[in-house]
Amino acid sequence: MRIVLRVLGALVLLLAVAGGGLYWLLQPPAPLHAPERGATFDHVTVIQPGEARLEGQLVTVDGNAIASIALSTSESEGRYDGMYVLPGLINMHTHHPPQAIPVARDLFPLLNLMYGVTAVRDAGDIDGKTVAPLREEIKTGKIAGPRIFACGPFVDGTERTWENTRNITDPKDATTVVREIKSAGYDCVKLYNSLKPDVLAALIVAAKAEGMPTIGHVPRDVGYPGGIGDVQHFTGAAFAPNTDPRHFPEVMDAWANFDDAQMERTVKATLDNGTANTPTLITIAKNANYANYQEMRAAAAALLPRYFADVLWHPTEGLPRDVSEKNLARLKAGLAAEKRLLKRLFDAGATLHIGTDTQTAFVIPGIDVQEEMREFASAGVPLEQVWKIATSGNGSALAPKLGRLEAGAPADFLVFREDPTKDLANLATLEAVVADGRLYTKEDLAARFARLKAQWSNPIVDTVMVEATRAAMARFKKKDK
């Protein structure tokens, strides 16, 4: 039956491409256009996590900024009376699907808004063709979504993991590379795995001279943290100050020997260098959970087209991954060690960011930030501090006053029926999202999502997309060999 379904799927794909008669079925409905800017919220409790809690407030939005927050003087009742206003969540490590993946352009932005994410940092535009136009469409209101900060290309040594990679092997080219990234309108420089120590050092100097933050993986030939401003995924942290030439997931073995002495060396290196860390714990948690693939598959099916879970993230058909018991145990042990390091860094006052590496297996836009918040909380970070990290803590690294609730700050905030700083379960009571001054009700967002899901769930569309993705994956694997 499986072979028959594949043959039928291939036939449907052939008809769609050759005849064009099914073309209209494959097109997602027009995006949800952003509403005009401006809104008011009366008789609400305003919470700046970790700092202040003000009851009975009137919040006014003018354009794309918060105009005022003041004690309410009105006696009239409105939809949001008695609710809680908090800053929007910020994801410090995400990737948007490249154009080769047949997903509606506004699905990832929409999912972010549905789960309260009002700003993201794209940590590398995979094909170099996606992020800049999407950011402009969101900014101008053609597509509803969070504000996007972006690093643009991956800057690497001799390797080329992703299509949009800028290779550099001579330190003399560092200034040129950084200036090219800046002139293209990007906000940060993404440093990657195979950079040599002298080239990495030159890139960091050039980035500082141009006022460009650096984020990335600590290269395999460089000791943690290597001078990088914001280290992603704790790369290299288990070896400070040593290096390890292995790739993921084998490199996770090092966490098995991460004792107290190594912990203190890593914490000291972090503090001495003023390094921020975006650990993306949820990425390891999902990879370590592949024994429960069917459970993760069911959760993904509620939010994404079937080809994500059934092809791209499938244990054997998808991107190469080790789902052996030995590797899953290694990942679980590594995650436990990373959580211990996270808590120790938090206690030491180090800068931590919440990010998720969206698009890695079963890490889904929007809800992944909420799951990462739960990982931080389970590591022992107090809940209100988790909220602070996810909002003003993240925002302070991106733009002035981002993640803050005060006059003049960007109008990015959330409205809840119940206080989510008391219990993360209350995240499910989200009633409205204000992103860049535009008000989206939960009904607006749910209606748009329902239309998208109805389109991709059409049996013909579903079959075409699954088989097309399966064929593309087969070509990818053949080429990769």
PDB file of all heavy atoms in Angstrom, residues 13-33:
ATOM      1  N   LEU A  13       1.494  14.571  -8.777  1.00  0.00           N
ATOM      2  CA  LEU A  13       2.503  15.614  -8.952  1.00  0.00           C
ATOM      3  C   LEU A  13       2.757  15.864 -10.430  1.00  0.00           C
ATOM      4  O   LEU A  13       2.859  17.007 -10.879  1.00  0.00           O
ATOM      5  CB  LEU A  13       3.796  15.200  -8.249  1.00  0.00           C
ATOM      6  CG  LEU A  13       4.986  16.159  -8.391  1.00  0.00           C
ATOM      7  CD1 LEU A  13       4.628  17.527  -7.830  1.00  0.00           C
ATOM      8  CD2 LEU A  13       6.207  15.593  -7.686  1.00  0.00           C
ATOM      9  N   LEU A  14       2.856  14.789 -11.216  1.00  0.00           N
ATOM     10  CA  LEU A  14       3.084  14.933 -12.652  1.00  0.00           C
ATOM     11  C   LEU A  14       1.951  15.703 -13.305  1.00  0.00           C
ATOM     12  O   LEU A  14       2.170  16.597 -14.123  1.00  0.00           O
ATOM     13  CB  LEU A  14       3.234  13.545 -13.288  1.00  0.00           C
ATOM     14  CG  LEU A  14       3.420  13.508 -14.806  1.00  0.00           C
ATOM     15  CD1 LEU A  14       4.729  14.200 -15.173  1.00  0.00           C
ATOM     16  CD2 LEU A  14       3.431  12.066 -15.306  1.00  0.00           C
ATOM     17  N   LEU A  15       0.718  15.366 -12.949  1.00  0.00           N
ATOM     18  CA  LEU A  15      -0.435  16.077 -13.514  1.00  0.00           C
ATOM     19  C   LEU A  15      -0.427  17.555 -13.142  1.00  0.00           C
ATOM     20  O   LEU A  15      -0.719  18.431 -13.954  1.00  0.00           O
ATOM     21  CB  LEU A  15      -1.732  15.427 -13.017  1.00  0.00           C
ATOM     22  CG  LEU A  15      -2.040  14.018 -13.565  1.00  0.00           C
ATOM     23  CD1 LEU A  15      -3.232  13.434 -12.840  1.00  0.00           C
ATOM     24  CD2 LEU A  15      -2.291  14.082 -15.067  1.00  0.00           C
ATOM     25  N   ALA A  16      -0.073  17.830 -11.901  1.00  0.00           N
ATOM     26  CA  ALA A  16      -0.072  19.212 -11.432  1.00  0.00           C
ATOM     27  C   ALA A  16       0.951  20.048 -12.173  1.00  0.00           C
ATOM     28  O   ALA A  16       0.698  21.186 -12.563  1.00  0.00           O
ATOM     29  CB  ALA A  16       0.200  19.254  -9.932  1.00  0.00           C
ATOM     30  N   VAL A  17       2.158  19.483 -12.354  1.00  0.00           N
ATOM     31  CA  VAL A  17       3.234  20.236 -12.983  1.00  0.00           C
ATOM     32  C   VAL A  17       3.043  20.329 -14.486  1.00  0.00           C
ATOM     33  O   VAL A  17       3.180  21.391 -15.085  1.00  0.00           O
ATOM     34  CB  VAL A  17       4.601  19.595 -12.643  1.00  0.00           C
ATOM     35  CG1 VAL A  17       5.717  20.274 -13.411  1.00  0.00           C
ATOM     36  CG2 VAL A  17       4.863  19.685 -11.148  1.00  0.00           C
ATOM     37  N   ALA A  18       2.710  19.195 -15.116  1.00  0.00           N
ATOM     38  CA  ALA A  18       2.621  19.163 -16.575  1.00  0.00           C
ATOM     39  C   ALA A  18       1.356  19.826 -17.084  1.00  0.00           C
ATOM     40  O   ALA A  18       1.382  20.603 -18.042  1.00  0.00           O
ATOM     41  CB  ALA A  18       2.693  17.724 -17.064  1.00  0.00           C
ATOM     42  N   GLY A  19       0.241  19.513 -16.475  1.00  0.00           N
ATOM     43  CA  GLY A  19      -1.017  20.032 -16.994  1.00  0.00           C
ATOM     44  C   GLY A  19      -1.410  21.384 -16.445  1.00  0.00           C
ATOM     45  O   GLY A  19      -2.106  22.151 -17.089  1.00  0.00           O
ATOM     46  N   GLY A  20      -0.980  21.693 -15.240  1.00  0.00           N
ATOM     47  CA  GLY A  20      -1.310  22.986 -14.644  1.00  0.00           C
ATOM     48  C   GLY A  20      -2.741  23.072 -14.132  1.00  0.00           C
ATOM     49  O   GLY A  20      -3.145  24.097 -13.579  1.00  0.00           O
ATOM     50  N   GLY A  21      -3.531  22.004 -14.305  1.00  0.00           N
ATOM     51  CA  GLY A  21      -4.931  22.069 -13.907  1.00  0.00           C
ATOM     52  C   GLY A  21      -5.134  22.150 -12.405  1.00  0.00           C
ATOM     53  O   GLY A  21      -6.173  22.603 -11.946  1.00  0.00           O
ATOM     54  N   LEU A  22      -4.141  21.689 -11.648  1.00  0.00           N
ATOM     55  CA  LEU A  22      -4.266  21.711 -10.187  1.00  0.00           C
ATOM     56  C   LEU A  22      -3.483  22.848  -9.559  1.00  0.00           C
ATOM     57  O   LEU A  22      -3.368  22.917  -8.339  1.00  0.00           O
ATOM     58  CB  LEU A  22      -3.759  20.378  -9.618  1.00  0.00           C
ATOM     59  CG  LEU A  22      -4.519  19.133 -10.063  1.00  0.00           C
ATOM     60  CD1 LEU A  22      -3.873  17.901  -9.470  1.00  0.00           C
ATOM     61  CD2 LEU A  22      -5.980  19.204  -9.690  1.00  0.00           C
ATOM     62  N   TYR A  23      -2.975  23.729 -10.399  1.00  0.00           N
ATOM     63  CA  TYR A  23      -2.112  24.801  -9.888  1.00  0.00           C
ATOM     64  C   TYR A  23      -2.811  25.607  -8.811  1.00  0.00           C
ATOM     65  O   TYR A  23      -2.217  25.941  -7.782  1.00  0.00           O
ATOM     66  CB  TYR A  23      -1.693  25.708 -11.043  1.00  0.00           C
ATOM     67  CG  TYR A  23      -0.853  26.892 -10.615  1.00  0.00           C
ATOM     68  CD1 TYR A  23       0.507  26.757 -10.374  1.00  0.00           C
ATOM     69  CD2 TYR A  23      -1.437  28.150 -10.435  1.00  0.00           C
ATOM     70  CE1 TYR A  23       1.275  27.828  -9.975  1.00  0.00           C
ATOM     71  CE2 TYR A  23      -0.670  29.230 -10.030  1.00  0.00           C
ATOM     72  CZ  TYR A  23       0.683  29.063  -9.811  1.00  0.00           C
ATOM     73  OH  TYR A  23       1.434  30.133  -9.409  1.00  0.00           O
ATOM     74  N   TRP A  24      -4.082  25.913  -9.029  1.00  0.00           N
ATOM     75  CA  TRP A  24      -4.799  26.770  -8.079  1.00  0.00           C
ATOM     76  C   TRP A  24      -4.943  26.109  -6.716  1.00  0.00           C
ATOM     77  O   TRP A  24      -4.959  26.790  -5.682  1.00  0.00           O
ATOM     78  CB  TRP A  24      -6.173  27.138  -8.623  1.00  0.00           C
ATOM     79  CG  TRP A  24      -7.100  25.979  -8.771  1.00  0.00           C
ATOM     80  CD1 TRP A  24      -7.207  25.144  -9.835  1.00  0.00           C
ATOM     81  CD2 TRP A  24      -8.055  25.529  -7.809  1.00  0.00           C
ATOM     82  NE1 TRP A  24      -8.158  24.183  -9.610  1.00  0.00           N
ATOM     83  CE2 TRP A  24      -8.703  24.399  -8.377  1.00  0.00           C
ATOM     84  CE3 TRP A  24      -8.424  25.959  -6.536  1.00  0.00           C
ATOM     85  CZ2 TRP A  24      -9.697  23.705  -7.704  1.00  0.00           C
ATOM     86  CZ3 TRP A  24      -9.428  25.260  -5.862  1.00  0.00           C
ATOM     87  CH2 TRP A  24     -10.052  24.150  -6.455  1.00  0.00           C
ATOM     88  N   LEU A  25      -4.996  24.767  -6.693  1.00  0.00           N
ATOM     89  CA  LEU A  25      -5.112  24.073  -5.417  1.00  0.00           C
ATOM     90  C   LEU A  25      -3.849  24.213  -4.571  1.00  0.00           C
ATOM     91  O   LEU A  25      -3.900  24.184  -3.347  1.00  0.00           O
ATOM     92  CB  LEU A  25      -5.367  22.577  -5.650  1.00  0.00           C
ATOM     93  CG  LEU A  25      -6.813  22.127  -5.862  1.00  0.00           C
ATOM     94  CD1 LEU A  25      -6.830  20.643  -6.142  1.00  0.00           C
ATOM     95  CD2 LEU A  25      -7.679  22.462  -4.663  1.00  0.00           C
ATOM     96  N   LEU A  26      -2.712  24.347  -5.252  1.00  0.00           N
ATOM     97  CA  LEU A  26      -1.444  24.396  -4.553  1.00  0.00           C
ATOM     98  C   LEU A  26      -1.122  25.772  -4.006  1.00  0.00           C
ATOM     99  O   LEU A  26      -0.157  25.929  -3.251  1.00  0.00           O
ATOM    100  CB  LEU A  26      -0.317  23.947  -5.481  1.00  0.00           C
ATOM    101  CG  LEU A  26      -0.469  22.538  -6.066  1.00  0.00           C
ATOM    102  CD1 LEU A  26       0.664  22.248  -7.037  1.00  0.00           C
ATOM    103  CD2 LEU A  26      -0.517  21.495  -4.965  1.00  0.00           C
ATOM    104  N   GLN A  27      -1.906  26.772  -4.364  1.00  0.00           N
ATOM    105  CA  GLN A  27      -1.624  28.126  -3.911  1.00  0.00           C
ATOM    106  C   GLN A  27      -2.320  28.415  -2.587  1.00  0.00           C
ATOM    107  O   GLN A  27      -3.540  28.264  -2.472  1.00  0.00           O
ATOM    108  CB  GLN A  27      -2.090  29.152  -4.952  1.00  0.00           C
ATOM    109  CG  GLN A  27      -1.458  28.964  -6.321  1.00  0.00           C
ATOM    110  CD  GLN A  27       0.049  28.899  -6.241  1.00  0.00           C
ATOM    111  OE1 GLN A  27       0.691  29.830  -5.776  1.00  0.00           O
ATOM    112  NE2 GLN A  27       0.619  27.792  -6.691  1.00  0.00           N
ATOM    113  N   PRO A  28      -1.573  28.812  -1.560  1.00  0.00           N
ATOM    114  CA  PRO A  28      -2.212  29.159  -0.282  1.00  0.00           C
ATOM    115  C   PRO A  28      -3.054  30.413  -0.438  1.00  0.00           C
ATOM    116  O   PRO A  28      -2.809  31.223  -1.340  1.00  0.00           O
ATOM    117  CB  PRO A  28      -1.025  29.403   0.649  1.00  0.00           C
ATOM    118  CG  PRO A  28       0.109  29.751  -0.251  1.00  0.00           C
ATOM    119  CD  PRO A  28      -0.112  28.977  -1.524  1.00  0.00           C
ATOM    120  N   PRO A  29      -4.062  30.584   0.403  1.00  0.00           N
ATOM    121  CA  PRO A  29      -4.864  31.806   0.339  1.00  0.00           C
ATOM    122  C   PRO A  29      -4.015  33.038   0.591  1.00  0.00           C
ATOM    123  O   PRO A  29      -2.955  32.958   1.207  1.00  0.00           O
ATOM    124  CB  PRO A  29      -5.915  31.603   1.435  1.00  0.00           C
ATOM    125  CG  PRO A  29      -5.324  30.567   2.348  1.00  0.00           C
ATOM    126  CD  PRO A  29      -4.481  29.689   1.494  1.00  0.00           C
ATOM    127  N   ALA A  30      -4.475  34.174   0.096  1.00  0.00           N
ATOM    128  CA  ALA A  30      -3.730  35.428   0.247  1.00  0.00           C
ATOM    129  C   ALA A  30      -3.421  35.686   1.718  1.00  0.00           C
ATOM    130  O   ALA A  30      -4.223  35.372   2.598  1.00  0.00           O
ATOM    131  CB  ALA A  30      -4.530  36.587  -0.325  1.00  0.00           C
ATOM    132  N   PRO A  31      -2.242  36.231   2.013  1.00  0.00           N
ATOM    133  CA  PRO A  31      -1.839  36.449   3.412  1.00  0.00           C
ATOM    134  C   PRO A  31      -2.789  37.379   4.165  1.00  0.00           C
ATOM    135  O   PRO A  31      -3.486  38.205   3.555  1.00  0.00           O
ATOM    136  CB  PRO A  31      -0.450  37.092   3.281  1.00  0.00           C
ATOM    137  CG  PRO A  31       0.031  36.727   1.925  1.00  0.00           C
ATOM    138  CD  PRO A  31      -1.191  36.648   1.064  1.00  0.00           C
ATOM    139  N   LEU A  32      -2.798  37.239   5.477  1.00  0.00           N
ATOM    140  CA  LEU A  32      -3.522  38.156   6.347  1.00  0.00           C
ATOM    141  C   LEU A  32      -2.769  39.479   6.372  1.00  0.00           C
ATOM    142  O   LEU A  32      -1.629  39.546   6.816  1.00  0.00           O
ATOM    143  CB  LEU A  32      -3.602  37.583   7.763  1.00  0.00           C
ATOM    144  CG  LEU A  32      -4.155  38.508   8.854  1.00  0.00           C
ATOM    145  CD1 LEU A  32      -5.607  38.823   8.593  1.00  0.00           C
ATOM    146  CD2 LEU A  32      -3.981  37.848  10.229  1.00  0.00           C
ATOM    147  N   HIS A  33      -3.389  40.520   5.829  1.00  0.00           N
ATOM    148  CA  HIS A  33      -2.738  41.830   5.835  1.00  0.00           C
ATOM    149  C   HIS A  33      -2.772  42.403   7.244  1.00  0.00           C
ATOM    150  O   HIS A  33      -3.717  42.190   8.016  1.00  0.00           O
ATOM    151  CB  HIS A  33      -3.435  42.771   4.860  1.00  0.00           C
ATOM    152  CG  HIS A  33      -3.038  42.537   3.440  1.00  0.00           C
ATOM    153  ND1 HIS A  33      -2.697  43.537   2.570  1.00  0.00           N
ATOM    154  CD2 HIS A  33      -2.909  41.390   2.722  1.00  0.00           C
ATOM    155  CE1 HIS A  33      -2.385  43.027   1.396  1.00  0.00           C
ATOM    156  NE2 HIS A  33      -2.514  41.717   1.469  1.00  0.00           N
TER     157      HIS A  33
END
